[in-house]
Amino acid sequence: MEDRIVSAVKEFARSIKPGSKVLADMSSLVDATSQIPLSNFDYWERLIRSEFSLAMRESAPSKWKPWLKPIEILTWLDLTSWDGYRREKTLRTLSGAAPNTFFFSLAVRRLNDWVPEVRAAARDTLLKLAKASDPEYVVEALCIALSNWGSWGRIEDADKTVLLKIISDVSIAQSLIQKIMFSASGPMTSLFSQLGRTPILDGRVDEIASLAVQPSLRAKAYRSLFEKRVTWLEGRKWVWTDIRYCEKKLIPIVSERKLSVETPILDLLHESANDRSSIVRRVSAEILIRELDTLGSTGKELAEKFASDNSDAVSERGKFALKKLVESDRANAS
């Protein structure tokens, strides 16, 4: 894969002809970058930056031809440039659709660029690029960005607002929901949490809880329904644990948004109690313990069901619920 990327970058660099009206040929580069695993994006971006920079220097006009003044040509690969001015100018020059998910991801990642002017350019142009690009490319890139932006140290609220505007588009939102529901792998639970920042999940959380492929996502959706809120990781901050010894630790910053839930809690408990995954049943058992005093005989039936569960984590909670019921009966009898 690495050899193929390097070869495609060099071929693309050779096809750039200063002063020519013929566009550089990106076909091999697009094919090669379409195969790149986005989970290791940092590595591929560094590799392409280094190889493209080297290839462009090698293909530059000879110094002994001063009349061949190079004409600045900006391409999608210049989003990886070492030069912040060039990255900014490239963002403001780009028009039309992104060639694939990789290149749209390059543009999205400029929201975390170390140069403020580049971040500003990304804010100004990303929405336009998203509207012009294939929704599939946009959705794939957003899945990676939304799952990781909590670790982006330079992204600001204004930058996040741009991405939230993109995902609020009806077609993009629908594609994102379908992806998180039916993807068998990937950080779909984290993505669900981040999408909870916007109203696009409202009215669909029940469906996600019952139909999502990943058990952890169904568990998160049920918990959101039980708690009538969606929570997400906003980021992390350092707090002092002992100033005398200069000791501190990173703690998560969690935000939330309220959900309007119409499904009765008993229906949710029965549905989640019968889920095929113990991860979901464990959440159901936790909620049962919390709501035990308000459920009457149904609470006892569910506690007995959980107590006999094949999963130790679920059965322990069921037995604890039964113990609480016995203690409550004794207290009432006395």
Side-chain angles (χ1 to χ4, degrees), residues 105-149:
S105 293
L106 274 182
V108 170
R109 284 165 62 85
R110 301 286 67 82
L111 290 174
N112 190 46
D113 199 279
W114 57 90
V115 178
E117 290 79 7
V118 177
R119 297 199 296 272
R123 286 196 296 270
D124 293 341
T125 58
L126 266 178
L127 191 58
K128 178 184 68 175
L129 286 176
K131 289 181 178 179
S133 301
D134 187 323
E136 181 181 347
Y137 301 157
V138 177
V139 168
E140 290 291 336
L142 289 177
C143 285
I144 300 298
L146 292 172
S147 299
N148 293 292
W149 70 357

Side-chain angles (χ1 to χ4, degrees), residues 2 8 15 89 113 131 138 185 193 213 239 282 294 303 322:
E2 183 174 314
S15 72
K89 192 171 183 180
D113 199 279
K131 289 181 178 179
V138 177
S185 60
S193 297
V213 172
V239 296
R282 185 174 63 193
T294 66
L322 288 175

Side-chain angles (χ1 to χ4, degrees), residues 110-285:
R110 301 286 67 82
L111 290 174
N112 190 46
D113 199 279
W114 57 90
V115 178
E117 290 79 7
V118 177
R119 297 199 296 272
R123 286 196 296 270
D124 293 341
T125 58
L126 266 178
L127 191 58
K128 178 184 68 175
L129 286 176
K131 289 181 178 179
S133 301
D134 187 323
E136 181 181 347
Y137 301 157
V138 177
V139 168
E140 290 291 336
L142 289 177
C143 285
I144 300 298
L146 292 172
S147 299
N148 293 292
W149 70 357
S151 63
W152 288 4
R154 291 175 289 271
I155 192 169
E156 303 172 19
D157 289 342
D159 305 321
K160 293 180 180 180
T161 299
V162 171
L163 292 184
L164 295 178
K165 284 182 179 179
I166 294 175
I167 68 175
S168 295
D169 179 85
V170 175
S171 61
I172 298 297
Q174 181 61 29
S175 296
L176 280 169
I177 291 173
Q178 293 297 308
K179 183 172 182 61
I180 66 172
M181 285 181 62
F182 300 114
S183 293
S185 60
M188 297 303 115
T189 304
S190 173
L191 182 57
F192 171 90
S193 297
Q194 296 297 337
L195 293 179
R197 295 168 177 265
T198 72
I200 71 170
L201 292 179
D202 292 5
R204 303 292 300 273
V205 181
D206 295 74
E207 184 182 359
I208 294 170
S210 59
L211 297 179
V213 172
Q214 293 189 23
S216 59
L217 174 56
R218 296 200 304 275
K220 174 68 176 179
Y222 271 119
R223 187 178 292 279
S224 298
L225 291 169
F226 283 126
E227 297 179 351
K228 297 184 178 180
R229 61 176 186 156
V230 179
T231 61
W232 61 87
L233 181 65
E234 194 72 56
R236 299 181 186 275
K237 67 177 181 179
W238 287 102
V239 296
W240 291 104
T241 55
D242 195 325
I243 296 180
R244 294 172 301 173
Y245 300 102
C246 295
E247 294 179 353
K248 57 183 179 179
K249 66 177 180 179
L250 273 175
I251 63 169
I253 303 172
V254 179
S255 298
E256 66 176 57
R257 192 176 70 85
K258 298 297 182 183
L259 278 180
S260 177
V261 180
E262 299 180 359
T263 308
I265 189 170
L266 270 178
D267 291 347
L268 290 174
L269 278 169
H270 280 297
E271 291 171 8
S272 54
N274 289 301
D275 193 273
R276 59 189 180 276
S277 171
S278 62
I279 297 174
V280 179
R281 299 196 301 274
R282 185 174 63 193
V283 171
S284 186

Side-chain angles (χ1 to χ4, degrees), residues 266 270 288 292-304 322 325:
L266 270 178
H270 280 297
L288 170 68
L292 202 54
D293 295 337
T294 66
L295 298 177
S297 59
T298 303
K300 183 177 181 181
E301 293 174 7
L302 285 169
E304 291 173 343
L322 288 175
L325 286 172

Side-chain angles (χ1 to χ4, degrees), residues 23-39:
L23 295 176
D25 183 10
M26 287 190 69
S27 56
S28 296
L29 187 60
V30 171
D31 289 343
T33 53
S34 295
Q35 307 302 317
I36 288 179
L38 299 182
S39 57

